[in-house]
């Protein structure tokens, strides 16, 4: 039997949104004998010195550093590192709880990752199974199974294409024809989307949704509210709140209200307009 319920989509950045730090901080960088600051400083130098996209720079540096240290940068290694990624409080239980709340409202809730992080690491985390699709940077692996080239790089502007893919139901990231085809109806209208991110790299996605009836939230770690405050003051997001996904948290209450709003709007859109005589 087909599920005819309206769909609400919640889209998440990953680093500093679901996890308090960049995912490479939890195992990858320490295995290189570097500090987090050293790795990202070297990434910046590589990018600036070569007029290079910073996302491509960090991916190249991951390959180079593993080669220098004799570490096979395989899919299995990256997924194993993903198992050690830590999350904000409540994240692991968040998805089933939000899904149940959506059910009570007559909604089907779907979750998506749109991240500039490493997809292979995300796939190794215990929450990977919660998402309809995970859009993040990917490596191409050679005949020995070792990463040799960026297969997919997602920066802050290219993130926006995935809003359209999700909205149209064209989830295959290689399907450029489908995502650009004009459609009279959308699987998930932008008004039914919520984007949760943490910083400046999320601004394009937040802006697209804000201008098309969707909702956006900036989360922040304890005692680091400055970036989120800036996003709110500049009108980039609707709400800011701590990265706390536990029941009754500010984020929990806001998302509940947003899902209620989706439910009400869908009910109104389903009614025929009544014209005065």
């Amino acid at each position: 039997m087909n599920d005819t319920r309206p769909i609400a989509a919640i889209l998440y950045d990953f680093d500093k949104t679901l996890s308090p730090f960049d995912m490479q901080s939890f195992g990858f960088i320490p295995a290189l004998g570097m500090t987090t600051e050293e790795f990202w400083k070297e990434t910046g130098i590589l990018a600036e010195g070569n007029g290079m996209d910073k996302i491509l720079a960090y991916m190249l540096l991951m390959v180079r550093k593993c080669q220098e240290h004799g570490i096979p940068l395989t899919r299995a290694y990256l997924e194993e590192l993903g198992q050690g990624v830590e999350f904000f409080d409540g994240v692991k239980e968040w998805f089933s709880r939000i899904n149940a709340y959506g059910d009570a409202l007559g909604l089907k809730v779907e979750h998506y990752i749109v991240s500039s992080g490493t997809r292979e690491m995300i796939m190794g985390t215990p929450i990977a199974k919660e998402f309809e699709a995970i859009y993040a940077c990917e490596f191409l692996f050679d005949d020995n199974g070792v990463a040799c080239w960026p297969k997919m790089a997602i920066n802050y502007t290219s993130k926006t294409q995935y809003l359209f893919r999700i909205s149209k139901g064209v989830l295959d990231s290689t399907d450029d024809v489908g995502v650009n085809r004009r459609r009279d109806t959308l699987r998930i209208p932008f008004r039914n989307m919520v984007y949760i991110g943490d910083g400046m790299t999320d601004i394009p996605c937040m802006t697209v949704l804000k201008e098309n009836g969707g909702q956006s939230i900036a989360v922040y770690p304890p005692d680091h509210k400055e970036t989120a405050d800036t996003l709110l003051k500049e009108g980039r997001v609707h709400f800011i709140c701590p990265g706390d996904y536990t029941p009754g948290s500010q984020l929990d209450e806001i998302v509940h209200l947003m899902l209620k709003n989706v439910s009400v709007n869908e009910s109104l859109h389903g009614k025929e307009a009544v014209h005065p005589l």
Side-chain angles (χ1 to χ4, degrees), residues 136-156:
C137 300
E138 299 180 61
F139 287 102
L140 177 69
F141 298 91
D142 63 20
D143 293 340
N144 296 314
V146 178
C148 60
W149 195 262
K151 171 182 169 181
M152 184 74 67
I154 299 177
N155 62 23
Y156 65 99

Side-chain angles (χ1 to χ4, degrees), residues 74-84 119-125:
T74 62
R75 187 185 304 276
Y77 178 63
L78 290 167
E79 290 185 358
E80 181 182 351
L81 291 172
Q83 295 174 22
R119 186 177 189 273
E120 292 85 1
M121 291 181 69
I122 298 173
M123 291 299 296
T125 67

Side-chain angles (χ1 to χ4, degrees), residues 19-30 81 84-87:
S19 175
F21 305 105
D22 294 317
M23 62 186 72
Q24 291 83 0
S25 303
F26 294 102
F28 179 81
I29 295 175
L81 291 172
V85 171
E86 298 174 8
F87 299 97

Side-chain angles (χ1 to χ4, degrees), residues 104-135:
L105 294 172
L107 298 174
K108 180 185 179 185
V109 180
E110 294 182 351
H111 307 270
Y112 296 84
I113 290 286
V114 183
S115 169
S116 295
T118 306
R119 186 177 189 273
E120 292 85 1
M121 291 181 69
I122 298 173
M123 291 299 296
T125 67
I127 64 171
K129 63 184 183 297
E130 307 289 354
F131 303 101
E132 296 294 321
I134 296 174
Y135 298 113

Side-chain angles (χ1 to χ4, degrees), residues 206 210 216-218 228 231-232 234-240:
M206 292 171 170
K210 201 163 188 282
S216 57
I217 305 169
L231 292 173
L232 186 64
E234 292 181 352
R236 311 289 190 146
V237 296
H238 293 91
F239 299 95
I240 64 172

Side-chain angles (χ1 to χ4, degrees), residues 119-244:
R119 186 177 189 273
E120 292 85 1
M121 291 181 69
I122 298 173
M123 291 299 296
T125 67
I127 64 171
K129 63 184 183 297
E130 307 289 354
F131 303 101
E132 296 294 321
I134 296 174
Y135 298 113
C137 300
E138 299 180 61
F139 287 102
L140 177 69
F141 298 91
D142 63 20
D143 293 340
N144 296 314
V146 178
C148 60
W149 195 262
K151 171 182 169 181
M152 184 74 67
I154 299 177
N155 62 23
Y156 65 99
T157 51
S158 63
K159 278 185 175 185
T160 57
Q161 72 158 291
Y162 298 98
L163 302 185
F164 292 91
R165 290 192 180 281
I166 293 165
S167 178
K168 294 181 178 183
V170 184
L171 302 187
D172 181 352
S173 59
T174 66
D175 185 354
D176 295 332
V177 174
V179 74
N180 287 304
R181 182 178 294 125
R182 182 179 178 84
R183 294 171 186 265
D184 294 328
T185 59
L186 298 172
R187 183 173 182 271
I188 310 175
F190 283 145
R191 66 176 183 270
N192 290 12
M193 290 187 179
V194 177
Y195 186 90
I196 303 178
D198 70 281
M200 298 301 178
T201 60
D202 299 304
I203 286 175
C205 284
M206 292 171 170
T207 300
V208 169
L209 286 191
K210 201 163 188 282
E211 292 178 350
N212 289 278
Q215 301 286 328
S216 57
I217 305 169
V219 299
Y220 56 87
D223 305 321
H224 290 85
K225 192 180 176 185
E226 297 80 8
T227 300
D229 274 334
T230 299
L231 292 173
L232 186 64
K233 289 175 183 176
E234 292 181 352
R236 311 289 190 146
V237 296
H238 293 91
F239 299 95
I240 64 172
C241 52
D244 179 356

